Amino acid sequence: MSLTVHTEQRGDVVVVSVAGELDMATAPQLQDQITDLLEKGRNRLVFDLAEVSFCDSTGLSVFVRAKNSCDEAGGVVRLAAPQRGVLRILEVSGLVEVLQTYPTVDQAVAGEPSPAAN
């Protein structure tokens, strides 16, 4: 399966909508998109994961690298609307505590306190 990535500017936040399977074969495509955004000074990113059907450790590492890069640049990374399987991977890996995860894109864009994906 392929991966599609679309971006949408919402105020000072870029919503990165990801669809498909995020794995070793497709993660570089997302990483390239993130690198491009960072080079353009976009360091407030929300990843819309509603259409991500699978995410392995390679995909998780893309989000961690994005968070580290955005943190260094004074920005933020938030995850939004992960499907049950992807949320479970985030929980088991402990990354749900590191990567702010929200039930909806709108909540992630707003940066509401007390993020919870349940």
Side-chain angles (χ1 to χ4, degrees), residues 90-107:
L90 290 165
E91 290 171 343
V92 168
S93 67
L95 289 177
V96 77
E97 304 299 325
V98 176
L99 298 165
Q100 296 178 53
T101 306
Y102 293 79
T104 70
V105 172
D106 289 341
Q107 288 171 311

Side-chain angles (χ1 to χ4, degrees), residues 58-87:
T58 312
L60 294 178
S61 69
V62 170
F63 296 128
V64 171
R65 282 196 301 273
K67 180 191 183 324
N68 292 340
S69 296
C70 287
D71 284 354
E72 288 175 13
V76 65
V77 165
R78 298 183 186 118
L79 306 182
Q83 291 184 23
R84 183 181 306 252
V86 174
L87 178 59

Side-chain angles (χ1 to χ4, degrees), residues 15-106:
V15 176
V16 182
S17 298
V18 185
E21 295 184 359
L22 185 53
D23 58 21
M24 188 169 63
T26 60
Q29 178 184 346
L30 180 57
Q31 184 62 57
D32 289 347
Q33 190 81 25
I34 294 166
T35 300
D36 185 54
L37 288 168
L38 291 170
E39 287 174 354
K40 293 177 180 175
R42 307 288 194 265
N43 61 11
R44 298 181 56 77
L45 308 178
V46 168
F47 292 94
D48 178 357
L49 305 180
E51 298 298 320
V52 174
S53 57
F54 175 79
C55 181
D56 70 4
S57 61
T58 312
L60 294 178
S61 69
V62 170
F63 296 128
V64 171
R65 282 196 301 273
K67 180 191 183 324
N68 292 340
S69 296
C70 287
D71 284 354
E72 288 175 13
V76 65
V77 165
R78 298 183 186 118
L79 306 182
Q83 291 184 23
R84 183 181 306 252
V86 174
L87 178 59
R88 183 73 181 130
I89 291 166
L90 290 165
E91 290 171 343
V92 168
S93 67
L95 289 177
V96 77
E97 304 299 325
V98 176
L99 298 165
Q100 296 178 53
T101 306
Y102 293 79
T104 70
V105 172
D106 289 341

